[in-house]
Amino acid sequence: MKKIKRVFILILIIYATFTVINQQKTINKYNQESKELSKQIEEEQNKEQLAKRKEDVNSLEFIEQTAREKLDMYYPNERVYIDAGM
């Protein structure tokens, strides 16, 4: 009777170990897939941002803003005040 219990417990331990190992493999696989999908989502979001930026670059407002900020260009007779305290 004791021998049957020991064999049963041994089989149960082997089964539990096998199950845990398989579950860990599955979890690792899902984690890897999750990382890949997150990367794809980020790439798509970047593509959308770039497409929007491309549209904005051709707008008159963007051109004016860039000319003002980076090139210090202004319309004729436009008054620009600069705060000297900064």
Side-chain angles (χ1 to χ4, degrees), residues 1-9:
M1 196 65 155
K2 280 189 166 186
K3 192 172 188 178
I4 293 174
K5 280 185 178 180
R6 287 183 183 174
V7 170
F8 180 72
I9 291 173

Side-chain angles (χ1 to χ4, degrees), residues 19-33:
T19 302
V20 168
I21 290 171
N22 281 337
Q23 286 178 348
Q24 190 61 43
K25 287 179 183 178
T26 303
I27 289 171
N28 290 340
K29 176 183 158 190
Y30 288 145
N31 284 338
Q32 183 64 29
E33 288 177 8

Side-chain angles (χ1 to χ4, degrees), residues 8-43:
F8 180 72
I9 291 173
L10 181 63
I11 291 172
L12 186 62
I13 290 172
I14 292 171
Y15 175 75
T17 304
F18 181 74
T19 302
V20 168
I21 290 171
N22 281 337
Q23 286 178 348
Q24 190 61 43
K25 287 179 183 178
T26 303
I27 289 171
N28 290 340
K29 176 183 158 190
Y30 288 145
N31 284 338
Q32 183 64 29
E33 288 177 8
S34 174
K35 288 178 185 178
E36 290 173 5
L37 290 174
S38 295
K39 186 177 179 181
Q40 287 178 357
I41 289 171
E42 186 176 322
E43 288 174 1

Side-chain angles (χ1 to χ4, degrees), residues 24-75:
Q24 190 61 43
K25 287 179 183 178
T26 303
I27 289 171
N28 290 340
K29 176 183 158 190
Y30 288 145
N31 284 338
Q32 183 64 29
E33 288 177 8
S34 174
K35 288 178 185 178
E36 290 173 5
L37 290 174
S38 295
K39 186 177 179 181
Q40 287 178 357
I41 289 171
E42 186 176 322
E43 288 174 1
E44 288 298 319
Q45 288 174 343
N46 286 342
K47 286 180 184 177
E48 289 174 6
Q49 289 175 351
L50 287 174
K52 185 175 182 340
R53 178 83 170 164
K54 183 179 177 182
E55 290 174 10
D56 291 345
V57 166
N58 294 326
S59 70
L60 183 61
E61 293 85 14
F62 179 82
I63 294 170
E64 286 181 8
Q65 180 183 5
T66 303
R68 289 174 190 272
E69 292 175 358
K70 299 194 180 201
L71 302 175
D72 290 328
M73 296 176 72
Y74 302 97
Y75 284 112

